[in-house]
Amino acid sequence: MSYHGAVTVGGRPDVRELAHLIITKVAVGPYDNNAYLLRCRATGEQLLIDAAADAPTLLETVGTELATVVTTHRHQDHWAALAEVVAATGARTAAGRIDAEGIGVATDLPLDDGDTVKVGDCALTVRHLVGHTPGAIVLVYDDPEGHPHVFTGDCLFPGGVGNTWKDPAAFDSLYRDVTGKLFDVLPDESWVYPGHGKDTTLGAERPHLSEWRERGW
């Protein structure tokens, strides 16, 4: 079956097999968080994006070896299982430099805009987006044999940018970063994997950017 990305808490993960990378999406916890396990086909190395909740489910998905856990931002629902996952696997931790101090597990690898995170032979580019939190990051995998894949945490969802708490300055910042660092530089085919709920593409969302700008959220 082809990948659809519509997962539910307690349900089966969904798996997308790319030429060089395998992406497994699983929903966990009371806030319906998405966690993404990336595995390099060539080396078998694995990276987890957001150890959000339910360590047993995440560890069952991971298996025996995990190299890195990247936390997209400081909100606790995205790292509630991080300590248990790291204790069980010995994985190093990574997060945006500015948000690292708000995460309850020490960050081994602070990340800045433009940095590269490796999972085996595959490279993910870090983009720092300000607004949902001061130090939120998204990860972009530019598939050399396909379109980009963008793991957006809570910065971009189907239907709009992430919550900016009715703060006009925070919305302006997040909207500017989402448009400038994602929509302006990546093609419509780019697949978006958000921190909660269903996936989307930049092409599906692009026609609505002016609506988001006008409504302010």
Side-chain angles (χ1 to χ4, degrees):
M1 294 179 63
S2 61
Y3 175 85
H4 51 73
V7 295
T8 58
V9 176
R12 294 174 60 86
D14 197 16
V15 179
R16 186 169 207 166
E17 299 200 12
L18 307 178
H20 304 285
L21 190 69
I22 297 174
I23 301 168
T24 300
K25 177 181 181 179
V26 60
V28 291
Y31 300 104
D32 193 19
N33 286 76
N34 296 324
Y36 299 94
L37 180 67
L38 279 52
R39 178 161 62 89
C40 172
R41 283 184 177 274
T43 67
E45 185 169 291
Q46 297 190 127
L47 176 149
L48 181 67
I49 299 173
D50 284 347
D54 192 355
T57 293
L58 294 179
L59 291 170
E60 181 181 0
T61 304
V62 165
T64 57
E65 299 204 6
L66 181 66
T68 308
V69 183
V70 179
T71 302
T72 58
H73 62 289
R74 65 173 64 183
H75 290 155
Q76 188 174 8
D77 61 306
H78 289 261
W79 54 263
L82 181 58
E84 288 182 75
V85 169
V86 169
T89 63
R92 68 174 181 170
T93 57
R97 184 180 301 276
I98 297 171
D99 266 13
E101 65 179 5
I103 296 170
V105 177
T107 296
D108 300 320
L109 181 63
L111 300 171
D112 297 304
D113 190 74
D115 283 350
T116 298
V117 177
K118 298 292 291 291
V119 50
D121 292 342
C122 300
L124 308 169
T125 301
V126 176
R127 292 301 176 205
H128 174 209
L129 277 60
V130 181
H132 182 68
T133 65
I137 58 170
V138 305
L139 299 173
V140 181
Y141 172 61
D142 194 358
D143 185 354
E145 299 187 35
H147 54 73
H149 298 260
V150 190
F151 301 89
T152 58
D154 284 0
C155 288
L156 178 63
F157 296 96
V161 300
N163 193 344
T164 52
W165 326 110
K166 298 182 180 180
D167 180 339
F171 171 78
D172 288 345
S173 176
L174 184 55
Y175 181 86
R176 181 176 60 249
D177 282 353
V178 164
T179 53
K181 295 182 180 181
L182 300 181
F183 284 96
D184 288 353
V185 296
L186 297 175
D188 283 351
E189 296 77 14
S190 301
W191 196 274
V192 174
Y193 305 82
H196 306 263
K198 295 182 179 179
D199 300 354
T200 187
T201 64
L202 293 187
E205 305 304 322
R206 194 184 301 275
H208 306 289
L209 288 174
S210 60
E211 300 169 26
W212 305 352
R213 169 74 275 179
E214 194 169 325
R215 76 191 185 195
W217 56 273

